[in-house]
């Protein structure tokens, strides 16, 4: 357990102890003056929170409005009733249920392949000793910088010729590979933080490298794997470029593509279902975020600094 | 020991699959795409060797130059905004809110995890709902400012795009830079305070230089990402009005999938790649020079 957290620290970015803030000597000031001094800051922070929260509250309220309310009432009026008609419309005729299913069917296998391949590769590149491993690592890491547009045309050609475009496989394959550079790079950094003796000891007991990878490497990387999985989850779930390019049929559309089509088809006329569809996305993420916010913050921060 | 750590079979088994798919799906397509920049055409109509014509065309194509200009303008303005706002928030978290900053950090970070298309559609509605004014215009009218038709001009769309991205990402950059600020040793700050450095002087002479590495990483990350902007401008106003808010990414997409010009599309993608590479190299080099100077 102790090694778990130690392994996370070098790249994880955010230390748990708030040394800078806590050890500052308290300032002495009169109560009233102190209140006055803090007032501008209080106003600023209130404003900040309102700016962050209001659009979302307005969105969710809007999802209960009827078309008539959108056009006849002031924009910040509360909805007249809380009927779930818009949600039903978004879910069924708006195809949101199908889009969500597609997003899940794409994201889960992509993450699985990315993690399995990436962690194993990082182990071979960082823990094991062989000539040329730095070059291979560099080849992986260089991929972080290359924009998705650079591989779009060749992949589209190949997927089209092999007939894969009628399935979700083009998305799964592309996401897996696009996530590999960061996964390999971060996992290599995490493995570097583990003393080499740990692996040497396990091999002394007669375990091969593959066996000690599964028995020692993977369990020790559990927290790091969760971190990377979260980072990659958001980049896959929120992608539009790849999904838009390789989904040729509307039955295969992911949430992002679905939302885009949704606004094209209904945008000018039907606001209620559109707001409901966006709300489902936003609230879904909010629930996930509230459960995992600390891990998400740390994960995204460490993931991007390496990128 | 050496023989076990260098077990060829194990290396092949663990690295092989990843390296194979990575080579097939990333490295080969990159080289393929690079090759395509010397051709015009598409698989159906056939390819024709064009030498460097595509590159010449790029620099004579007003639409491409407009997209290049927009991409640079967008990346520059947004990156400056992201870093300034993020750094301001981070300083506030550390020096003003201190331990009480958890709630604010959590709230301000949240939009980072939202799907970009959802955020773009939300912001579109905030600025205009059909023919109706959204809350932003309604708010402006309260102060006697006439409503603005945001999406009828390039500048209006650009403004909404920047505001939206700042709303979405400032909390993220704040957390990134906050982590960097926490790494500054308390002793250093304490001795600076004893020397009489407080407030802005403390930030300027002590905090800023010490958080330079994480600031530079954030700049690389920010510019690299803003250069690749795609989904937000597409969902916000489809690169319009006209082509006024069309970045290189969207132009590339249209060139390939609407006009079926694979070669020219690859050229646009290549120009973008070179830009990302140069920015990273430039910031990286200048940061190394700074470190050696100290």
């Amino acid at each position: 357990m102790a090694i778990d957290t130690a392994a996370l620290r070098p790249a994880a970015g955010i230390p748990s102890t708030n040394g800078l803030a806590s050890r500052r000597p308290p300032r002495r000031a009169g109560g009233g003056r102190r209140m006055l001094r803090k007032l501008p800051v209080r106003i600023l922070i209130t404003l900040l929170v309102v700016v962050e929260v209001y659009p979302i509250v307005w969105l969710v309220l809007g999802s209960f409005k009827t078309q008539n309310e959108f056009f006849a009432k002031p924009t910040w009026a509360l909805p007249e009733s809380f009927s779930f008609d818009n949600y039903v419309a978004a879910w069924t005729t708006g195809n949101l249920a199908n889009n969500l299913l597609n997003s899940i069917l794409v994201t889960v296998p992509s993450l699985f392949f990315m993690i399995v391949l990436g962690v194993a590769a990082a182990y071979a590149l960082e823990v094991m000793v062989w000539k040329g491993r730095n070059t291979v690592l560099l080849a992986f890491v260089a991929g972080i910088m290359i924009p998705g547009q650079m591989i779009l045309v060749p992949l589209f050609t190949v997927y089209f010729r092999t007939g894969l475009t009628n399935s979700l496989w083009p998305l799964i394959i592309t996401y897996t590979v696009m996530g590999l550079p960061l996964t390999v790079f971060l996992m290599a950094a995490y493995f570097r933080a583990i003393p080499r003796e740990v692996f040497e000891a396990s091999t002394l007991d007669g375990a091969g490298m593959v066996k000690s990878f599964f028995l020692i490497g993977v369990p020790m990387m559990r927290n790091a794997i969760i971190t990377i999985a979260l980072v990659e989850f958001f980049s896959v779930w929120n992608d539009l470029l790849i999904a838009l390019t390789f989904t040729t049929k509307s039955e295969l559309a992911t949430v992002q593509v679905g939302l885009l089509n949704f606004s094209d088809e209904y945008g000018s006329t039907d606001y209620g279902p559109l707001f409901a569809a966006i709300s489902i996305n936003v609230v879904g993420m909010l629930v996930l975020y509230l459960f995992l916010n600390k891990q998400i913050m740390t994960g995204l921060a460490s993931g991007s600094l390496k990128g | 020991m050496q023989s076990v750590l260098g077990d060829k079979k194990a290396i092949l088994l663990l690295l092989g699959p990843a390296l194979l798919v990575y080579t097939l799906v990333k490295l080969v397509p990159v080289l393929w795409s690079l090759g395509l920049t010397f051709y015009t055409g598409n698989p159906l109509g056939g390819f024709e060797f064009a030498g460097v014509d595509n590159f010449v065309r790029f620099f004579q194509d007003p639409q491409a130059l407009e997209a290049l200009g927009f991409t640079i303008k967008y990346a520059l303005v947004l990156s400056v905004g992201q870093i300034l706002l993020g750094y301001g928030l981070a300083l506030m978290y550390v020096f003003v809110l201190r331990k009480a900053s958890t709630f604010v950090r959590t709230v301000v970070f949240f939009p980072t995890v939202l799907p970009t298309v959802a955020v773009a559609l939300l912001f579109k509605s905030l600025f205009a709902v059909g023919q109706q004014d959204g809350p932003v215009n309604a708010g402006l009218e309260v102060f006697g400012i006439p409503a603005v038709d945001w999406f009828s001009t390039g500048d209006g769309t650009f403004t909404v795009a920047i505001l939206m991205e700042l709303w979405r990402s400032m909390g993220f950059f704040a957390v990134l830079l906050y982590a960097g600020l926490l790494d500054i040793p308390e002793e250093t700050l304490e001795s600076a305070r004893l020397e009489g450095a407080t407030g802005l002087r403390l930030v300027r002479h002590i905090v800023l230089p010490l958080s330079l590495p994480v600031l530079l990483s954030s700049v690389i990350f920010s510019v690299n990402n803003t250069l690749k902007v795609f989904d937000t401008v597409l969902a916000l106003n489809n690169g319009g009005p006209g082509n006024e808010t069309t970045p290189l990414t969207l132009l590339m997409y249209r060139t390939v999938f609407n006009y079926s010009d694979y070669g020219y599309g690859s050229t646009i993608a290549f120009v973008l790649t070179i830009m990302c590479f140069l920015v990273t190299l430039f910031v990286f080099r200048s940061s190394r020079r700074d470190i050696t100077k100290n």
Side-chain angles (χ1 to χ4, degrees):
Chain A
M1 233 26 218
I3 297 168
D4 260 359
T5 49
L8 263 174
R9 295 222 39 184
I14 300 174
S16 51
T17 50
N18 190 339
L20 196 69
S22 60
R23 272 173 288 160
R24 204 178 157 181
R27 267 213 200 150
R28 269 173 293 159
R33 259 178 55 207
R34 199 170 151 187
M35 277 292 284
L36 211 64
R37 197 172 57 82
K38 282 204 163 170
L39 198 63
V41 176
R42 290 238 166 103
I43 294 173
L44 192 76
I45 289 161
T46 313
L47 202 70
L48 185 68
V49 172
V50 169
V51 163
E52 291 294 344
V53 173
Y54 180 73
I56 294 166
V57 174
W58 181 76
L59 169 76
V60 175
L61 287 175
S63 68
F64 292 103
K65 290 184 180 176
T66 62
Q67 189 71 357
N68 188 38
E69 287 178 78
F70 270 109
F71 286 101
K73 296 272 169 143
T75 178
W76 41 41
L78 293 173
E80 281 162 0
S81 66
F82 282 94
S83 119
F84 280 88
D85 292 353
N86 288 333
Y87 283 87
V88 176
W91 192 254
T92 52
T93 49
N95 259 335
L96 189 58
N98 184 246
N99 295 338
L100 271 171
L101 183 69
N102 285 335
S103 273
I104 292 167
L105 285 179
V106 166
T107 309
V108 173
S110 299
L111 286 181
F112 175 78
F113 290 129
M114 196 190 296
I115 299 289
V116 170
L117 296 179
V119 175
Y123 180 83
L125 287 167
E126 188 57 46
V127 177
M128 303 190 68
V129 184
W130 48 286
K131 232 174 112 186
R133 64 190 181 132
N134 285 326
T135 317
V136 178
L137 185 62
L138 193 72
F140 270 108
V141 175
I144 296 175
M145 247 186 349
I146 296 168
Q149 276 81 2
M150 203 58 195
I151 57 172
L152 223 50
V153 176
L155 288 183
F156 183 78
T157 311
V158 170
Y159 292 146
F160 192 76
R161 280 204 199 138
T162 48
L164 280 174
T165 28
N166 286 326
S167 67
L168 291 170
W169 281 106
L171 300 187
I172 296 170
I173 295 168
T174 315
Y175 287 137
T176 301
V177 170
M178 287 184 75
L180 271 181
L182 189 65
T183 310
V184 169
F185 185 68
L186 279 177
M187 288 312 296
Y190 290 128
F191 275 124
R192 201 169 304 143
I194 294 184
R196 195 59 60 88
E197 289 78 16
V198 174
F199 296 104
E200 286 172 351
S202 82
T203 52
L204 275 185
D205 296 338
M209 283 313 277
V210 175
K211 201 172 171 191
S212 53
F213 167 69
F214 284 107
L215 294 181
I216 314 285
V218 174
M220 275 174 57
M221 287 290 115
R222 219 191 63 203
N223 284 346
I225 288 172
I226 293 171
T227 302
I228 290 170
L230 274 174
V231 174
E232 295 294 355
F233 166 79
F234 285 106
S235 70
V236 172
W237 189 270
N238 293 344
D239 169 79
L240 180 68
L241 178 69
I242 302 299
L244 195 64
T245 309
F246 300 137
T247 7
T248 42
K249 290 192 291 186
S250 62
E251 301 98 88
L252 298 174
T254 60
V255 169
Q256 290 257 61
V257 177
L259 275 178
L260 200 65
N261 295 335
F262 208 92
S263 77
D264 284 347
E265 283 167 40
Y266 301 94
S268 53
T269 49
D270 241 352
Y271 271 95
L274 177 65
F275 271 56
I278 306 173
S279 291
I280 292 174
N281 274 286
V282 169
V283 174
M285 283 298 171
L286 180 65
V287 171
L288 187 68
Y289 180 66
L290 289 180
F291 276 111
L292 297 165
N293 82 71
K294 208 162 188 178
Q295 192 121 27
I296 291 172
M297 279 206 227
T298 326
L300 286 181
S302 68
S304 62
L305 269 193
K306 303 295 172 186
Chain B
M1 191 53 56
Q2 205 58 30
S3 70
V4 186
L5 286 174
D7 177 2
K8 289 266 160 31
K9 249 197 205 150
I11 292 168
L12 197 68
L13 190 68
L14 292 166
L15 179 66
L19 194 59
L20 184 70
V21 290
Y22 184 71
T23 307
L24 286 179
V25 184
K26 187 114 189 190
L27 297 181
V28 171
V30 167
L31 294 177
W32 183 338
S33 204
L34 216 57
L36 276 178
T37 61
F38 298 109
Y39 289 85
T40 54
N42 57 63
L44 287 175
F47 287 101
E48 210 174 299
F49 186 75
V52 292
D53 282 3
N54 279 326
F55 290 93
V56 176
R57 182 179 160 194
F58 182 91
F59 289 102
Q60 289 171 347
D61 179 358
Q63 215 170 314
L65 294 179
E66 193 184 6
L68 180 68
F70 176 78
T71 304
I72 293 171
K73 183 172 101 172
Y74 181 87
L76 218 61
V77 173
L78 188 54
S79 296
V80 168
Q82 281 175 335
I83 301 297
L84 283 184
L85 271 178
Y87 200 57
L89 283 171
L91 287 173
M92 188 181 82
Y93 293 163
V94 174
F95 291 107
V96 181
L97 291 174
R98 286 174 240 171
K99 281 209 156 167
S101 74
T102 318
F103 172 72
V104 179
R105 262 187 291 147
T106 307
V107 170
V108 180
F109 187 90
F110 169 61
T112 305
V113 303
L114 293 177
T116 38
V117 176
V119 175
L121 295 178
L122 166 62
F123 265 69
K124 207 171 161 178
S125 316
L126 281 175
F127 285 80
V129 185
Q131 301 302 311
Q132 279 271 82
D133 294 338
V136 173
N137 273 335
L140 286 178
E141 276 161 22
V142 169
F143 294 102
I145 304 165
V148 181
D149 191 355
W150 295 94
F151 297 108
S152 69
T153 64
D155 284 342
T157 309
F158 178 75
T159 310
V160 178
I162 295 289
L163 288 176
M164 161 185 141
E165 275 302 310
L166 287 177
W167 179 81
R168 213 175 67 81
S169 59
M170 65 179 178
F172 171 78
F173 282 92
V175 165
L176 210 64
L177 294 163
Y178 171 76
L181 289 181
L182 288 183
D183 284 342
I184 299 175
E186 176 64 17
E187 292 73 27
T188 314
L189 292 174
E190 212 40 66
S191 55
R193 283 202 189 95
L194 287 175
E195 303 276 330
T198 49
L200 279 179
R201 281 185 58 201
L202 184 73
V203 172
R204 160 97 180 68
H205 294 288
I206 308 294
V207 179
L208 196 62
L210 285 176
S211 51
L212 209 58
V214 69
L215 262 172
L216 286 167
S217 307
S218 311
V219 171
I220 295 182
F221 177 73
S222 170
V223 178
N224 248 324
N225 268 288
T226 49
L227 282 176
K228 294 175 196 163
V229 60
F230 177 75
D231 34 13
T232 49
V233 286
L234 178 61
L236 200 60
N237 202 6
N238 201 11
N243 292 313
E244 281 187 59
T245 59
T246 300
L248 286 174
T249 51
L250 190 52
L251 179 68
M252 179 271 173
Y253 191 86
R254 290 199 180 127
T255 307
V256 170
F257 297 106
N258 296 359
Y259 304 111
S260 295
D261 197 341
Y262 283 32
Y264 191 44
S266 297
T267 309
I268 299 172
F270 181 65
V271 171
L272 183 72
T273 310
I274 293 297
M275 282 168 71
C276 293
F277 182 70
L278 286 180
V279 165
T280 309
L281 206 67
F282 178 75
V283 181
F284 199 68
R285 286 286 292 271
S286 57
S287 74
R288 276 185 50 180
R289 204 167 45 237
D290 274 344
I291 288 165
T292 46
K293 219 191 284 174
N294 289 336

